[in-house]
Amino acid sequence: MPPVVRRLPAYEPPVGGAVPLPRPRPRPARVPEPDPPSPALDPLRLVGAVLEVLDGRRPARLLRQVAVPGLAVRLGAMVRPRTTRMVRMPRVCHPSRFVAEISATVRREGRVLAVACRVEHRGGRWWFTSFAVLE
């Protein structure tokens, strides 16, 4: 029997009238909810109050209102009559919403010193958890 030639089915896409493939629908981007702002903090007033207690210009009982108990006792033992003045506005860094680290430069008896402290927001107010005058 002689060979039979048959026509093949079309395997090329049509020219000019290509049908676009359906695109996947983009998913909506998840936008995280922003953190609420940190509670109001007045670093100049807080650090200034502790420095006034350490200089003997304010009563030591004030420390119980701004510092955790262990720190208040330790700072109360450091009270001496002297004069300390703030040189620059304190700088504040917020590692988290309820924690702030404060640094300041002060002048005491002719020397310029650094103050470093950490405050935490508890029970509706800011409390010192660490306070150091770096001499």
Side-chain angles (χ1 to χ4, degrees):
M1 194 166 178
V4 178
V5 178
R6 293 188 199 153
R7 176 167 260 181
L8 293 174
Y11 59 92
E12 294 281 333
V15 178
V19 179
L21 296 174
R23 290 183 149 191
R25 292 174 49 193
R27 290 185 172 175
R30 183 181 174 275
V31 177
E33 206 172 295
D35 291 335
S38 299
L41 170 66
D42 186 0
L44 185 62
R45 185 184 63 80
L46 275 175
V47 173
V50 173
L51 290 173
E52 289 174 4
V53 170
L54 294 179
D55 289 351
R57 291 181 281 156
R58 282 190 165 199
R61 69 177 179 269
L62 175 70
L63 293 173
R64 291 181 294 197
Q65 298 172 6
V66 296
V68 293
L71 180 63
V73 170
R74 187 174 61 87
L75 289 175
M78 297 171 55
V79 175
R80 288 190 199 99
R82 55 189 164 202
T83 303
T84 304
R85 298 279 182 235
M86 196 84 60
V87 175
R88 288 199 180 121
M89 184 70 173
R91 295 182 182 259
V92 179
C93 171
H94 283 276
S96 71
R97 182 170 172 233
F98 294 111
V99 175
E101 294 174 348
I102 304 171
S103 63
T105 308
V106 297
R107 182 176 299 278
R108 176 187 284 167
E109 299 169 350
R111 296 178 61 200
V112 176
L113 308 170
V115 173
C117 51
R118 182 179 178 99
V119 291
E120 295 181 10
H121 194 267
R122 301 177 186 170
R125 56 194 300 189
W126 289 98
W127 293 90
F128 282 101
T129 56
S130 175
F131 191 95
V133 179
L134 308 172
E135 298 191 38

